[in-house]
Amino acid sequence: MKLYKMFINGKWVESLSGKTFAVINPATEEKLGSVPLADKTDVDEAVKAAYDAFPSWSSVSQTERSESVARLGVIMRKYEKELAELETTEHGSPQSNAVFMANWSAELVEHAAQISRSLMGHVIPAMTDTVTYLKKDPVGVCALITPWNAPIMMIAAKLAPALAMGNTCVVKPPSINSIIGVKFAEMVDEAGFPPGVVNFVTGPGSAIGNALASHPDVDLVGFTGSTETGKSIMSAASGSIKKLVMELGGKNPFIVFRDAELEAAVDNAVHSLFHNSGMSCAAPGRYYVHEDMYDAFTEKFVSKTEELVMGDPRNPKTDIGPLSSAEHRDRVEGYIKSGLEEGARLLTGGSRPVDAPFDKGFWVPPAVFADVTHEMKIAREEIFGPVACIIRFSSEDDALRMANDSRLGLCASVWTKDINRGIHFVNKVRAGTVWVNEHMKLCADTTWGGIKESGLGKESGIWGIEEFTTLKLVVISTPFPE
Ligand code: NAD
């Protein structure tokens, strides 16, 4: 079994303890390799390397830094196929989704390289006898902690803007997708960033995530993951007051009004939930469907769901791959059990397959629940798996009230032919992203980020890049002698 290494201060290293852990293929449970099991002492080494590299990297011209990030983008294009294959074997992404993710990841890096060159400061001509301006400085050492549901893309989305703006970084990929992290480190190495500018440590969040979030020399934590972990990072980071950029959980409403285009709404509803086996923060977590549409919507939803092919994620015909780990499969099954106990009607899927090839791997056939009520646990908590919860509503006010009645506020969508109704909903719903007659559509130029317990700050687009800067006010006294 291949033994991978971590990347610290420009060198490929084992953990100081010499310990390792295995990474497995979630579709077959086959061991893919072992990676170093880092602990706090390895984190200290990585943060020291990033801290020492900061003065020189932050002094490199914007042109050169942006060019280095552009070079990383070129290297990612070179390995795009390999990256997609890794996403399939290590995360279980069906090929079509993996190819999309590898392409989007490279696009995020290219975008950060391009847009970082256009970020200017501001002159403030407000005080006499001064030259007063705001310049955008890098924040410092960034700890970038990423989740497993989109492993390549999450690293790209944070690392590229951080580097382009002159920060140095310690990246902690999710432990179950550590090999993707190592591949990223190889690409960084090939791009020729100076030693210490980018470091990768591998290990579980409970051990090294906390060491990073609480480290006194870390200035910013860029985190994507669950709301619960986000809260524990906030409290760990509070000891030394760090900047936090957090992309957290979602339980996103998808509202279908009586006048919606039924076919388009159902197509999108099924695809946006199931494309990564439901393991997407932006996936619709609750469908609110007008009572006049409810039966037609549900019937079509079930029939389209039953057309999806679950199986080997390497097969281009596969729509549904495995869940990412046994632990996560058990968690999703716990929600299915809870839905049944609370009286929701399971129309299809949800029971664990036992026959080959599904006797190995972590499979949950896509499940559709009807007669879900807004109060049920499956309608309120993020499931992060292939489970659809379809809820009936009778008045628009009720739909809006239920959409906003959540501690999360990542994204939402509304389906209607009436643009005024759509805009009314856009104005009233509390979420970081709102779509009308769409759900999931994004690109590298747009931005992303939730409100309430779904996050702090923005990722991607120019606004995501600005998160990795801090404004410095400069006032130069320029009195002219009389
Ligand atoms: P998670 O919170 O379990 O883990 C995310 C990362 O944090 C991993 O690298 C993990 O090792 C690390 N971690 C775990 N405990 C830690 C701790 N105490 N201190 C520091 N780091 C720690 O999340 P996950 O299960 O990998 O991902 C699923 C979650 O991520 C879902 O809630 C999903 O909605 C969310 N997510 C949000 C977005 C978004 O953009 N808002 C995008 C993708 C995923």
Side-chain angles (χ1 to χ4, degrees), residues 76 166 170 197 204 217 244 251 272 332 353 386 388 391 398 431 453 465:
M76 288 182 74
V170 180
V197 169
D217 290 336
L244 300 174
K251 186 69 182 172
S272 55
V332 170
I391 302 164
D398 219 25
E453 291 189 20
I465 292 173

mmCIF file of all heavy atoms in Angstrom, residues 76 166 170 197 204 217 244 251 272 332 353 386 388 391 398 431 453 465:
data_model
loop_
_atom_site.group_PDB
_atom_site.id
_atom_site.type_symbol
_atom_site.label_atom_id
_atom_site.label_comp_id
_atom_site.label_asym_id
_atom_site.label_seq_id
_atom_site.Cartn_x
_atom_site.Cartn_y
_atom_site.Cartn_z
ATOM 1 N N MET A 76 -3.083 22.473 -12.779
ATOM 2 C CA MET A 76 -4.348 21.770 -12.487
ATOM 3 C C MET A 76 -5.017 21.297 -13.771
ATOM 4 O O MET A 76 -5.609 20.213 -13.814
ATOM 5 C CB MET A 76 -5.288 22.676 -11.709
ATOM 6 C CG MET A 76 -4.824 22.880 -10.291
ATOM 7 S SD MET A 76 -5.951 23.905 -9.365
ATOM 8 C CE MET A 76 -7.320 22.774 -9.105
ATOM 9 N N GLY A 166 -1.213 37.351 -1.094
ATOM 10 C CA GLY A 166 0.026 37.510 -0.336
ATOM 11 C C GLY A 166 0.042 36.831 1.019
ATOM 12 O O GLY A 166 0.942 37.080 1.830
ATOM 13 N N VAL A 170 -1.539 27.098 5.698
ATOM 14 C CA VAL A 170 -1.471 25.694 6.119
ATOM 15 C C VAL A 170 -2.831 25.090 5.777
ATOM 16 O O VAL A 170 -3.854 25.561 6.268
ATOM 17 C CB VAL A 170 -1.200 25.555 7.631
ATOM 18 C CG1 VAL A 170 -1.139 24.075 8.015
ATOM 19 C CG2 VAL A 170 0.093 26.266 8.012
ATOM 20 N N VAL A 197 5.459 28.763 1.928
ATOM 21 C CA VAL A 197 4.301 29.574 1.517
ATOM 22 C C VAL A 197 3.020 28.726 1.582
ATOM 23 O O VAL A 197 1.968 29.188 2.009
ATOM 24 C CB VAL A 197 4.523 30.166 0.102
ATOM 25 C CG1 VAL A 197 3.253 30.779 -0.456
ATOM 26 C CG2 VAL A 197 5.629 31.216 0.162
ATOM 27 N N PRO A 204 -7.041 13.899 11.393
ATOM 28 C CA PRO A 204 -8.432 14.192 11.735
ATOM 29 C C PRO A 204 -8.613 15.574 12.368
ATOM 30 O O PRO A 204 -7.735 16.072 13.074
ATOM 31 C CB PRO A 204 -8.792 13.091 12.741
ATOM 32 C CG PRO A 204 -7.501 12.640 13.287
ATOM 33 C CD PRO A 204 -6.437 12.906 12.267
ATOM 34 N N ASP A 217 -0.205 31.888 16.140
ATOM 35 C CA ASP A 217 0.396 32.506 14.946
ATOM 36 C C ASP A 217 -0.465 32.379 13.695
ATOM 37 O O ASP A 217 -0.035 32.771 12.608
ATOM 38 C CB ASP A 217 1.785 31.907 14.686
ATOM 39 C CG ASP A 217 2.778 32.348 15.751
ATOM 40 O OD1 ASP A 217 2.544 33.415 16.372
ATOM 41 O OD2 ASP A 217 3.760 31.617 15.997
ATOM 42 N N LEU A 244 -12.248 35.077 10.802
ATOM 43 C CA LEU A 244 -12.874 33.803 10.447
ATOM 44 C C LEU A 244 -13.706 33.957 9.179
ATOM 45 O O LEU A 244 -14.485 34.906 9.053
ATOM 46 C CB LEU A 244 -13.795 33.328 11.578
ATOM 47 C CG LEU A 244 -13.120 33.094 12.932
ATOM 48 C CD1 LEU A 244 -14.154 32.763 13.996
ATOM 49 C CD2 LEU A 244 -12.096 31.964 12.841
ATOM 50 N N LYS A 251 -29.921 24.022 5.136
ATOM 51 C CA LYS A 251 -31.160 23.210 5.084
ATOM 52 C C LYS A 251 -32.071 24.024 4.175
ATOM 53 O O LYS A 251 -32.971 24.730 4.615
ATOM 54 C CB LYS A 251 -31.747 23.048 6.498
ATOM 55 C CG LYS A 251 -32.944 22.117 6.546
ATOM 56 C CD LYS A 251 -32.579 20.682 6.288
ATOM 57 C CE LYS A 251 -33.805 19.784 6.287
ATOM 58 N NZ LYS A 251 -33.489 18.398 5.856
ATOM 59 N N SER A 272 -30.475 18.660 -8.377
ATOM 60 C CA SER A 272 -29.711 19.461 -7.411
ATOM 61 C C SER A 272 -29.600 18.759 -6.059
ATOM 62 O O SER A 272 -28.679 19.023 -5.298
ATOM 63 C CB SER A 272 -30.290 20.876 -7.259
ATOM 64 O OG SER A 272 -31.644 20.815 -6.923
ATOM 65 N N VAL A 332 -27.027 9.112 7.945
ATOM 66 C CA VAL A 332 -28.140 9.351 7.009
ATOM 67 C C VAL A 332 -29.248 8.327 7.263
ATOM 68 O O VAL A 332 -30.438 8.667 7.296
ATOM 69 C CB VAL A 332 -27.630 9.296 5.547
ATOM 70 C CG1 VAL A 332 -28.782 9.290 4.558
ATOM 71 C CG2 VAL A 332 -26.704 10.482 5.271
ATOM 72 N N PRO A 353 -28.888 -1.675 0.509
ATOM 73 C CA PRO A 353 -28.841 -2.873 -0.340
ATOM 74 C C PRO A 353 -27.851 -3.877 0.230
ATOM 75 O O PRO A 353 -26.855 -3.487 0.832
ATOM 76 C CB PRO A 353 -28.355 -2.324 -1.686
ATOM 77 C CG PRO A 353 -27.641 -1.057 -1.354
ATOM 78 C CD PRO A 353 -28.181 -0.536 -0.067
ATOM 79 N N PRO A 386 -28.827 11.499 0.339
ATOM 80 C CA PRO A 386 -29.825 11.418 -0.728
ATOM 81 C C PRO A 386 -31.242 11.189 -0.201
ATOM 82 O O PRO A 386 -31.850 10.145 -0.440
ATOM 83 C CB PRO A 386 -29.326 10.231 -1.553
ATOM 84 C CG PRO A 386 -28.645 9.356 -0.560
ATOM 85 C CD PRO A 386 -28.055 10.251 0.474
ATOM 86 N N ALA A 388 -35.002 13.116 0.102
ATOM 87 C CA ALA A 388 -35.850 14.267 -0.238
ATOM 88 C C ALA A 388 -37.008 14.357 0.744
ATOM 89 O O ALA A 388 -37.634 13.343 1.063
ATOM 90 C CB ALA A 388 -36.391 14.094 -1.659
ATOM 91 N N ILE A 391 -42.866 18.786 1.475
ATOM 92 C CA ILE A 391 -43.805 19.352 2.446
ATOM 93 C C ILE A 391 -44.883 20.116 1.674
ATOM 94 O O ILE A 391 -44.581 20.779 0.682
ATOM 95 C CB ILE A 391 -43.036 20.315 3.394
ATOM 96 C CG1 ILE A 391 -41.909 19.550 4.104
ATOM 97 C CG2 ILE A 391 -43.965 20.997 4.391
ATOM 98 C CD1 ILE A 391 -40.853 20.432 4.759
ATOM 99 N N ASP A 398 -47.458 31.305 4.363
ATOM 100 C CA ASP A 398 -47.035 30.134 5.102
ATOM 101 C C ASP A 398 -45.712 29.588 4.551
ATOM 102 O O ASP A 398 -44.820 29.194 5.307
ATOM 103 C CB ASP A 398 -48.130 29.069 4.956
ATOM 104 C CG ASP A 398 -48.312 28.351 6.255
ATOM 105 O OD1 ASP A 398 -47.995 28.953 7.290
ATOM 106 O OD2 ASP A 398 -48.742 27.175 6.219
ATOM 107 N N ALA A 431 -31.439 34.347 3.270
ATOM 108 C CA ALA A 431 -30.452 33.356 2.811
ATOM 109 C C ALA A 431 -29.359 34.091 2.057
ATOM 110 O O ALA A 431 -29.575 35.194 1.538
ATOM 111 C CB ALA A 431 -31.112 32.332 1.901
ATOM 112 N N GLU A 453 -26.686 30.736 10.976
ATOM 113 C CA GLU A 453 -25.679 29.724 11.338
ATOM 114 C C GLU A 453 -25.125 28.993 10.109
ATOM 115 O O GLU A 453 -24.512 27.938 10.232
ATOM 116 C CB GLU A 453 -26.273 28.732 12.342
ATOM 117 C CG GLU A 453 -26.532 29.378 13.688
ATOM 118 C CD GLU A 453 -26.920 28.381 14.774
ATOM 119 O OE1 GLU A 453 -26.638 27.178 14.633
ATOM 120 O OE2 GLU A 453 -27.514 28.820 15.772
ATOM 121 N N ILE A 465 -12.235 36.863 -2.671
ATOM 122 C CA ILE A 465 -10.804 37.192 -2.682
ATOM 123 C C ILE A 465 -10.524 38.286 -1.643
ATOM 124 O O ILE A 465 -9.539 38.233 -0.902
ATOM 125 C CB ILE A 465 -10.380 37.610 -4.099
ATOM 126 C CG1 ILE A 465 -10.473 36.382 -5.014
ATOM 127 C CG2 ILE A 465 -8.975 38.186 -4.111
ATOM 128 C CD1 ILE A 465 -10.249 36.638 -6.464
#
